[in-house]
Each structure stands twice: as C-alpha cells, then as structure tokens.
Amino acid sequence: MSHTIERESAHTSGLYQKRDIVLVRGLGAVVWDDAGREYIDCVGGQGIANLGHGNMAVADALAQQARTLASCTELFYNDRRAELYERLAALLPASLDRIFLCSSGTEAVEGALKFARLATKRHGVVATMRGFHGKTMGALSATWGPEYRELFGPLLEGFTHIPFNRVEALDAAITTDTSAFITELVQGEGGVRPATKEFIAEAARLCRARGAILIIDEVQTGFGRTGTMFALEQFGVEPDILCLAKAIAGGMPMGAIAFSRALGDLPKRSHSTTFGGNPLACAASIATLGEHARLKLAEAARARGAQLHAGLLAISSPKIREVRGLGLLQGIELKENAGPTLKALQERGVLALGAGPTVVRYLPPLVISAVQVDAVIEATRSALSA
Ligand SMILES: *Cc1c(COP(=O)(O)O)cnc(C)c1O
C-alpha cells in the first residue's frame, strides 16, 4: 500500500468511502496519481473544478491577494468583496440583487432556509424526493436520502418531500403555511435527473400565489455546468433565493446566497459567518468569473455535453437503462449497481462518480477537450462490456 494511504488511514474520520489511489497533481481535465498514472477527471472535485485544474489566473489572484489582505470580515468593507458582488449581480437575474457569502453549499442552504422563515414568518418547507441540499441539520432536513437522514433524527419540523417532477403534487404541498419550496434544477446526487420546465414553472406560480419563497439550489448546476452560466436561464425561472457554491471560486471553499430585496430587510446580526466574503475567496471567485468569460465555458459545456450525451446514448449495452443530463452534468442509469463500472472506468484511466446506487455520473471540468470526451465515451463502452 502507498505510504500516503497508510498515513491518511491512521487518522481519517472514516466517513468517506475512498478509492485506493493518491492524486497529487492536475492540469486542465487531467489528474495524476503518485505513481504517475494519468486520468481524465470526470469527478472534477464533485463539481468544483469547472475551470480545470491548475488554472493560472486563479493561482495568481490567490497569491497576490494572500500577500495583500487575506482576512477581512464583514465588520468592514473590502474592495475585492465589492467587486465580486458587482460581478455576480451582473450575471444573475436583476431581481437577485443581494448576496450573502459563506463557505459551502450546505451553508448556503442553511441561510436560505433561515431567510425564508424571516421573510414569511412561516416555517413549513417543501422539498423534493431524491433532492440533495447538504448534510448539516437544516439542509439535511431538506435533503431526501433516508441513508443520510435516518441516523440523525429528529430533524427540523415542518419539512415535507414531494415526488420530483410530479406537477400534480405541488398544489397540495405548497400552501399558505409554506415558507419555502426548495429544489434543484437537475438533481445531481439524486441520480442526474433534470427537472421539467412545467414542474419548475408551476412551483414558481404557486409560490407567488401563496406567498411562499422559491429557493433554487444551483450549488451543483451553477457556473456553466449545464451549458448556461446558471441553469435557471434554461428554465426561465426567477427564484426569490438562489443557492450557489462548489465551482464559484475556482476550487476555493465559497458559497453564496443571492436573494431579492423584496424579501425585506433581514434583522441585523440574525445570520453571519466569520469566513464569509473573505478577500482571498473573493479574489479567487473574481478570477474564476473572468476565466469563464475568457474561455466561454458555458458554451463549451453545451458543446462537449452534447457530444458526451450523444456518445453515451450510442453505446449499446444491456446494462444501460437510461442516459440523461444537461450540459456537462451527465449520467448513465444502469440496471445494476454502478460500483463495478466506476472501478472498470478507473482501470481505463477515467474517474467518474456515483449518483445513487445505480447511476454513473460525469462532472468533468468544462475545459475538457473533444478528444478527451471521445476517450471518456470509449472507456465507458469498454467498461460496460467488461
Ligand atoms: C454538493 C451540494 C450541496 C452541498 O454542498 P457542500 O459544499 O458539500 O455542503 C448542496 N446542494 C447541492 C445541489 C449539491 O450538489
């Protein structure tokens, strides 16, 4: 066994199911292990590494900011934070004109749920079956997976889960006691399942009619992943609150809650976080957004995503139940457990991810080339016939 694996194993929490390789370096869509083996990285930091590994603009911005001012809490104003607010606001629907910065996806969801309670003075929350919103207690209450929830009850009161994409279920669930309806636009963890436009439109309509807050969780689908900067552009929906994280800062831990001024003023000090809006993460995020524009990454995700989707669809294997996804968030649902296929892919130099027990999920950096996408398709064809 590699020395690194032994050393980690001595102190690891034991909570993560690890694969037996040690990754030490990355460039673009490729990573290398400590034995020098090369992999096409369709794990992409579980959706963080949209820019690809080793991005120089982010590295330079981080180094520069680390030498200038790394820490500055929101007790004070800061030039980097002001710039990031402007850059994000310019990309978002005009109604999402306020931004709260934090450090992770689950933290963005926690804040969103609190803001919805503040704004509505109600506490009911409607979420979706197979939805994933994080694992801290509040977000976990919105997450569906029984395997994540059952060990930790009782969770927060007032949460219900309706079948995803079942338009008829919305009317009974979203009532005048509902503070928020929360959903992803493509369920990631839950098996790479795109929402239907009808489901999202009807949810938005009912939330508006009944005074509930619509929270869209784009922690995984944001920042070009689905072929537009945010997936909401493809759904024509303007949520009251939008949760962002993962790829927002080119690999630095950062989350954001974008919300509408129409929610009303939030009581001072009712929510905060010490790392929120630190200049280091802001500088990384500003550089990340610059690279998105320079490299036209949303367009790239659309083109490479279409290529990957078509290539996976063309694989004829009795193991495949369905191929689905949006942009470069693609999945193959198998008729069997995905574990052996993930292992076979790794042996063929492709790292991919599960999404529930039977789905193989692809979340490559958006800089992945057409040649690399073809290699991923070929490796998948070979892994499925193994
Ligand atoms: C990953 C994810 C989260 C949780 O983000 P963390 O940074 O892991 O806490 C929340 N929502 C969605 C849709 C996610 O994919």
Side-chain angles (χ1 to χ4, degrees), residues 104-107 109 132-135 184 189 217 219-220 245-246:
S104 70
T106 200
E107 200 188 349
V109 171
F132 184 85
H133 303 290
K135 293 186 181 171
E184 297 154 272
E189 263 324 289
D217 179 349
V219 168
Q220 188 158 153
K246 289 204 165 102

Side-chain angles (χ1 to χ4, degrees), residues 144-161:
W144 181 72
E147 70 278 28
Y148 303 139
R149 297 166 59 90
E150 275 170 5
L151 298 166
F152 298 105
L155 299 177
L156 293 189
E157 270 174 44
F159 282 63
T160 53
H161 293 82

Side-chain angles (χ1 to χ4, degrees), residues 46 48 103-109 131-136 139 143 182-189 217-221 243-246 254-255 361 363:
Q46 304 195 193
I48 290 173
S103 308
S104 70
T106 200
E107 200 188 349
V109 171
F132 184 85
H133 303 290
K135 293 186 181 171
T136 53
T143 288
I182 180 167
T183 187
E184 297 154 272
L185 294 176
V186 182
Q187 290 186 329
E189 263 324 289
D217 179 349
E218 286 224 46
V219 168
Q220 188 158 153
T221 52
C243 298
L244 302 169
K246 289 204 165 102
M254 178 180 252
R361 176 172 35 155
L363 277 175

Side-chain angles (χ1 to χ4, degrees), residues 8-230:
E8 249 200 65
S9 299
H11 301 290
T12 181
S13 64
L15 287 163
Y16 295 93
Q17 200 149 33
K18 289 178 193 275
R19 304 191 199 169
D20 59 354
I21 53 174
V22 180
L23 299 181
V24 292
R25 194 162 66 84
L27 190 65
V30 170
V31 288
W32 286 269
D33 70 13
D34 62 350
R37 254 208 98 185
E38 183 177 315
Y39 303 87
I40 301 177
D41 181 18
C42 295
V43 173
Q46 304 195 193
I48 290 173
N50 290 15
L51 236 51
H53 301 285
N55 181 281
M56 284 302 159
V58 173
D60 288 346
L62 276 169
Q64 171 71 25
Q65 193 60 40
R67 284 192 290 262
T68 307
L69 183 68
S71 308
C72 171
T73 74
E74 297 231 18
L75 282 177
F76 305 98
Y77 294 88
N78 174 259
D79 57 340
R80 299 292 83 187
R81 193 187 303 131
E83 183 171 349
L84 178 59
Y85 283 162
E86 284 175 2
R87 298 284 287 266
L88 282 174
L91 293 169
L92 290 165
S95 57
L96 299 177
D97 56 350
R98 287 189 147 172
I99 295 164
F100 176 89
L101 296 172
C102 54
S103 308
S104 70
T106 200
E107 200 188 349
V109 171
E110 291 291 330
L113 295 170
K114 287 177 73 178
F115 295 178
R117 285 188 170 183
L118 281 173
T120 60
K121 304 191 170 57
R122 307 172 183 175
H123 76 273
V125 174
V126 180
T128 61
M129 294 167 88
R130 293 205 178 90
F132 184 85
H133 303 290
K135 293 186 181 171
T136 53
M137 289 301 248
L140 182 61
S141 303
T143 288
W144 181 72
E147 70 278 28
Y148 303 139
R149 297 166 59 90
E150 275 170 5
L151 298 166
F152 298 105
L155 299 177
L156 293 189
E157 270 174 44
F159 282 63
T160 53
H161 293 82
I162 62 166
F164 188 60
N165 279 346
R166 182 86 57 77
V167 176
E168 315 85 81
L170 289 164
D171 182 53
I174 299 172
T175 70
T176 51
D177 292 327
T178 303
S179 77
F181 174 66
I182 180 167
T183 187
E184 297 154 272
L185 294 176
V186 182
Q187 290 186 329
E189 263 324 289
V192 190
R193 295 167 203 277
T196 61
K197 292 204 171 98
E198 300 73 53
F199 184 70
I200 298 302
E202 179 64 0
R205 189 188 71 75
L206 284 168
C207 283
R208 211 173 311 119
R210 296 176 186 174
I213 299 294
L214 176 63
I215 304 174
I216 299 282
D217 179 349
E218 286 224 46
V219 168
Q220 188 158 153
T221 52
F223 300 98
R225 172 60 56 190
T226 67
T228 45
M229 195 58 177
F230 302 105

Side-chain angles (χ1 to χ4, degrees), residues 231-319:
L232 52 79
E233 296 160 41
Q234 295 172 67
F235 287 81
V237 63
E238 289 205 5
D240 305 294
I241 305 183
L242 179 69
C243 298
L244 302 169
K246 289 204 165 102
I248 186 172
M252 285 292 285
M254 178 180 252
I257 308 167
F259 60 104
S260 163
R261 198 167 296 270
L263 261 55
D265 284 331
L266 305 174
K268 294 252 183 270
R269 303 174 66 218
S270 62
H271 194 65
S272 65
T273 180
T274 312
F275 276 123
N278 72 82
L280 204 53
C282 288
S285 185
I286 293 164
T288 298
L289 298 179
E291 289 294 88
H292 264 278
R294 187 177 71 84
L295 299 168
K296 298 192 167 58
L297 289 183
E299 277 171 46
R302 210 174 316 149
R304 298 285 78 77
Q307 180 193 351
L308 179 58
H309 187 81
L312 296 176
L313 264 182
I315 297 174
S316 100
S317 162
K319 294 180 183 171

